[in-house]
Amino acid sequence: MKFLHSSDIKIIKVICLLFMAGIFCICPSINAYAVGDLNSNLTGTDRNETVLREPGTAETPEELQELNIANGLSVTINGDNGGLSSNLRILITLTLIALAPTLIIMLTSFTRIIIVLHFTRNALNTQTAPSNQILIGLALFLTFFIMNPVINQINEEAIKPLDQGIITQEEALEKGMEPLRQFMYKQTQVKDVKLFMDIAGEEWTSDLDAIPNSVLIPSFIISELRTAFIIGFIIYIPFIVIDMVVASVLMSMGMMMLPPTTISMPFKILLFVLADGWNLVIGNVIKTFY
């Protein structure tokens, strides 16, 4: 028994492929129809139009869901009445997720809280206690606590109506930005707004609606930095007094080679604990937003 060579096997495969292609070419084509003439050999029994309503006649989301144009397939998501495609929605969602840390830091109370907590740790001279992760986590939860009314308002006025198809994407963006603008405007000092309005070469009539976002956001950030540094200075005062007293005592005892901060740190921690410092610092920082 002789075995076939590889070249023979390839020739056999080519012949088989040509044979199958010839069969498909010889066979008549088969057409499928949904509806057609009653006298033709079609599958339908009634001639019903698939165009129930003309394009552009739907005025409400409910009418749009009932719209059936020709033989096209219409897919609606959560009652949406069109607008952005699914691919574009995914792109916008991923973009917002990437920008979420920046938005949380710059458009909320996070900046003031994290700076005050940082000054508190430096005033205690505890180096890395609490750690950066703890401070950032605490600042995030305090930010969510402070911004909870704003988040609920955005959800009720922008996100839910957009999901139900009541408003468009542009209207949702405008309505969602309005609560944030009101929050930032209450925490922004007038001189900071005037500074950026003068730089932009625009006149301001002390009206919130007359302030563009490009002016309101940097004005809010500068005001937050100023307020946070003022609070940090106030927190430093009692701890500076302790450092001065300890340094004076060490100098009077002739222990000039001993660092005063090493001796004063336990007294700072003791004072902070006895005064319930975390309650005072966090409570007063939150009250500055109300």
Side-chain angles (χ1 to χ4, degrees):
M1 180 177 181
K2 297 181 179 180
F3 294 97
L4 296 176
H5 296 286
S6 58
S7 59
D8 298 334
I9 295 175
K10 292 181 180 180
I11 294 174
I12 294 174
K13 289 182 178 180
V14 172
I15 294 174
C16 293
L17 290 175
L18 293 175
F19 179 75
M20 294 299 295
I23 292 176
F24 285 115
C25 293
I26 295 173
C27 291
S29 60
I30 300 174
N31 297 327
Y33 303 92
V35 294
D37 189 2
L38 295 178
N39 296 325
S40 61
N41 297 323
L42 302 180
T43 59
T45 58
D46 296 323
R47 187 177 182 83
N48 296 325
E49 294 289 341
T50 58
V51 180
L52 302 181
R53 305 182 63 177
E54 293 297 328
T57 59
E59 297 180 354
T60 63
E62 291 76 13
E63 294 180 356
L64 185 63
Q65 292 178 2
E66 298 176 356
L67 196 62
N68 184 12
I69 304 299
N71 293 323
L73 178 62
S74 177
V75 179
T76 59
I77 301 176
N78 295 331
D80 192 9
N81 59 348
L84 297 178
S85 63
S86 58
N87 293 334
L88 189 56
R89 285 178 178 271
I90 294 174
L91 178 62
I92 293 176
T93 302
L94 294 177
T95 304
L96 291 177
I97 292 175
L99 295 177
T102 303
L103 296 178
I104 292 176
I105 292 174
M106 297 302 172
L107 304 183
T108 64
S109 58
F110 181 84
T111 302
R112 184 187 305 183
I113 295 173
I114 192 64
I115 292 177
V116 170
L117 294 178
H118 176 75
F119 276 127
T120 303
R121 185 179 66 179
N122 286 350
L124 287 171
N125 197 27
T126 54
Q127 302 301 325
T128 58
S131 62
N132 292 331
Q133 292 83 353
I134 295 176
L135 292 183
I136 294 175
L138 178 59
L140 283 175
F141 278 102
L142 293 177
T143 300
F144 292 146
F145 175 78
I146 295 172
M147 302 298 296
N148 187 54
V150 178
I151 296 174
N152 291 335
Q153 187 177 355
I154 294 174
N155 183 46
E156 295 294 332
E157 296 181 359
I159 298 178
K160 287 185 177 180
L162 177 63
D163 186 63
Q164 297 172 0
I166 300 176
I167 60 177
T168 62
Q169 286 83 7
E170 293 78 8
E171 294 174 343
L173 180 60
E174 183 179 354
K175 290 181 178 294
M177 194 63 190
E178 187 61 28
L180 283 175
R181 286 175 55 87
Q182 294 177 359
F183 171 80
M184 290 188 292
Y185 183 72
K186 293 179 181 178
Q187 308 299 327
T188 304
Q189 298 186 12
V190 176
K191 59 181 179 180
D192 294 328
V193 178
K194 290 183 177 180
L195 170 64
F196 285 97
M197 292 295 285
D198 293 339
I199 295 175
E202 301 179 5
E203 295 183 359
W204 183 43
T205 59
S206 300
D207 187 12
L208 174 59
D209 296 333
I211 307 176
N213 292 331
S214 58
V215 171
L216 181 59
I217 293 176
S219 303
F220 168 74
I221 296 173
I222 290 181
S223 298
E224 287 293 284
L225 292 175
R226 181 185 295 106
T227 304
F229 273 73
I230 292 174
I231 297 174
F233 172 75
I234 296 174
I235 293 174
Y236 256 100
I237 292 177
F239 300 106
I240 291 176
V241 173
I242 295 177
D243 286 333
M244 294 175 62
V245 171
V246 171
S248 300
V249 171
L250 292 178
M251 290 183 64
S252 63
M253 296 176 63
M255 299 180 179
M256 292 179 292
M257 300 300 295
L258 183 63
T261 55
T262 304
I263 306 299
S264 62
M265 187 178 68
F267 293 100
K268 291 180 181 179
I269 296 176
L270 178 62
L271 175 64
F272 195 74
V273 172
L274 293 177
D276 198 3
W278 291 116
N279 193 333
L280 292 175
V281 171
I282 295 176
N284 285 280
V285 169
I286 293 177
K287 290 179 181 178
T288 57
F289 293 97
Y290 295 97

